[in-house]
Amino acid sequence: MNIIETFNLCKYYKNKKALDNLNLEVPEGIIFGYLGPNGAGKTTTIRLLLNLAKPTNGYAIIMGENILKSKKYLSKIGFLPDVPNFYNYFTAKEYLAILAEILGVDKKRVDEVLELVDLKNEKKRIGTFSRGMKQRLGIAQTLLHDPKLLILDEPTSALDPQGRKEILDLIKSLKGSKTIFFSTHILSDVEKICDRVAIIKDGKLLLNEKVEELKKRYAKRMITIEVDNQDILWEKLKDKPWVINIAVHNKSLLLNIKDISMAQKEIPKIISENNLSLIHFEFLEPTIEDIFFEVIS
Ligand SMILES: Nc1ncnc2c1ncn2[C@@H]1O[C@H](COP(=O)(O)OP(=O)(O)OP(=O)(O)O)[C@@H](O)[C@H]1O
Ligand SMILES: [Mg+2]
């Protein structure tokens, strides 16, 4: 079952198409990475899903409800904005206790969520927290009312590698009991923890697929070759129609291939005709980064 499904969702600002006919499916129980460069339309999508802005056109069904017709679904969502704000004077526990009161949530839940994000014994004021700690507190806050769906807008972007790892581990630990939709422009985040990824650019969805299948589909399209004279090989390969591009990496050539069977037939021929010695030949598993740049270019 899809926890989120959008139908030709659009948001136009004057002449700007911030979001253009978005059709997105997010299955329940997964970690969904919403990937796109700056200005792609990630936050706009999230604002529409959360009823913080009205679509110019189209609609979405979230947990069975049409977002244009009902707002009940919002109580089952936990949301972390891209730049969360806290009351710096409080401790994490004091802050969440106030929110629990406002939300009508049992106070016991405060300790539970602080435990989940590893801030249970933290006595310092929020103002002294590192960015990573603040992000963890933000996630604790989204969990207070035990929502089914978490929507996190770029939860890792302002963090150093250690802080990012903590947040990614935390998101991963929540998988299963929650569906997590998070936006990011950091490719490796998606690769590390997502089951599914959508890539968006200029308001348009370019791809929405399981990470595993995506990698399979793009597999065997990257080849690394090392020969005794790479300049000759480069010269012979550079204008072949089945080669998308060639990069030099250490002593090897890194080839992005359009037609794998042509490459398999022709490369050995070129090596032999030019009297080159083959040192290494390998099909490479593509990274999300390779795929991302190919898809958005
Ligand atoms: N209120 C607004 N008025 C006019 N244009 C807007 C508004 N909000 C967003 N936009 C434009 O819509 C486009 C998408 O913006 P959005 O904030 O959704 O991108 P994003 O993918 O979240 O980018 P970032 O990675 O920078 O957060 C951008 O070109 C932005 O300038
Ligand atoms: Mg944004």
Side-chain angles (χ1 to χ4, degrees):
M1 186 200 139
N2 291 325
I3 196 159
I4 302 175
E5 196 165 348
T6 72
F7 299 85
N8 295 330
L9 202 60
C10 298
K11 184 70 182 175
Y12 301 160
Y13 294 106
K14 287 189 185 142
N15 298 324
K16 173 90 204 166
K17 290 184 172 176
L19 201 62
D20 198 16
N21 280 314
L22 180 78
N23 291 296
L24 199 65
E25 289 178 16
V26 181
E28 192 167 356
I30 68 162
I31 303 180
F32 187 92
Y34 196 46
L35 184 65
N38 290 129
K42 303 182 295 292
T43 300
T44 301
T45 307
I46 289 173
R47 284 169 50 79
L48 294 178
L49 297 180
L50 292 169
N51 224 300
L52 296 170
K54 286 268 169 266
T56 311
N57 213 336
Y59 64 102
I61 303 287
I62 301 186
M63 290 177 265
E65 284 178 47
N66 184 334
I67 64 166
L68 300 181
K69 297 191 177 147
S70 164
K71 288 184 183 167
K72 272 193 288 183
Y73 74 97
L74 290 170
S75 65
K76 291 179 270 179
I77 298 181
F79 168 53
L80 182 66
D82 46 1
V83 188
N85 258 316
F86 302 102
Y87 291 100
N88 287 332
Y89 188 74
F90 292 124
T91 65
K93 191 168 177 165
E94 288 164 350
Y95 175 67
L96 291 187
I98 293 167
L99 289 182
E101 181 118 17
I102 295 169
L103 290 167
V105 166
D106 191 332
K107 284 264 170 65
K108 274 199 309 219
R109 185 74 187 144
V110 171
D111 279 337
E112 280 172 22
V113 295
L114 283 173
E115 173 111 53
L116 273 174
V117 303
D118 204 19
L119 285 174
K120 195 172 170 197
N121 299 315
E122 191 52 70
K123 303 275 186 287
K124 287 189 299 201
R125 288 180 185 169
I126 298 167
T128 69
F129 279 15
S130 68
R131 283 182 164 186
M133 290 164 80
K134 282 187 182 166
Q135 259 343 36
R136 280 191 276 139
L137 175 60
I139 292 178
Q141 173 181 336
T142 68
L143 291 169
L144 264 182
H145 59 302
D146 199 16
K148 281 179 79 169
L149 170 64
L150 293 188
I151 297 184
L152 315 173
D153 195 1
E154 305 230 22
T156 57
S157 44
L159 305 180
D160 63 14
Q162 175 61 26
R164 264 172 56 205
K165 185 176 181 316
E166 284 170 16
I167 296 298
L168 294 177
D169 287 346
L170 173 58
I171 292 175
K172 211 168 158 186
S173 74
L174 297 170
K175 184 184 150 176
S177 59
K178 317 265 171 235
T179 306
I180 298 129
F181 176 104
F182 82 95
S183 73
T184 182
H185 62 262
I186 303 171
L187 300 157
S188 61
D189 285 3
V190 170
E191 185 141 34
K192 283 193 190 110
I193 63 164
C194 293
D195 303 291
R196 216 180 160 89
V197 59
I199 299 180
I200 174 178
K201 191 185 172 222
D202 295 334
K204 287 198 167 64
L205 185 70
L206 301 181
L207 179 151
N208 176 10
E209 206 167 335
K210 276 188 186 165
V211 170
E212 210 177 282
E213 275 167 17
L214 191 65
K215 285 183 152 191
K216 239 187 254 164
R217 201 150 63 77
Y218 279 78
K220 294 219 168 171
R221 291 181 49 185
M222 304 284 291
I223 300 173
T224 171
I225 315 175
E226 189 182 345
V227 291
D228 55 346
N229 188 332
Q230 65 168 221
D231 294 344
I232 294 178
L233 186 61
W234 186 82
E235 189 60 40
K236 297 289 169 192
L237 286 172
K238 73 177 188 350
D239 296 324
K240 296 287 181 201
W242 42 270
V243 174
I244 297 167
N245 62 47
I246 310 178
V248 178
H249 184 66
N250 296 330
K251 290 184 191 161
S252 301
L253 294 183
L254 196 62
L255 264 66
N256 196 344
I257 297 296
K258 208 185 289 172
D259 183 337
I260 199 73
S261 65
M262 285 299 284
Q264 282 172 313
K265 280 195 200 104
E266 296 240 339
I267 291 171
K269 231 194 276 173
I270 292 168
I271 290 176
S272 138
E273 280 168 9
N274 292 281
N275 208 19
L276 298 169
S277 299
L278 180 64
I279 298 167
H280 185 81
F281 181 98
E282 190 184 354
F283 288 110
L284 297 178
E285 167 100 335
T287 63
I288 287 285
E289 191 163 359
D290 300 326
I291 298 168
F292 179 78
F293 287 116
E294 194 176 325
V295 169
I296 67 165
S297 65

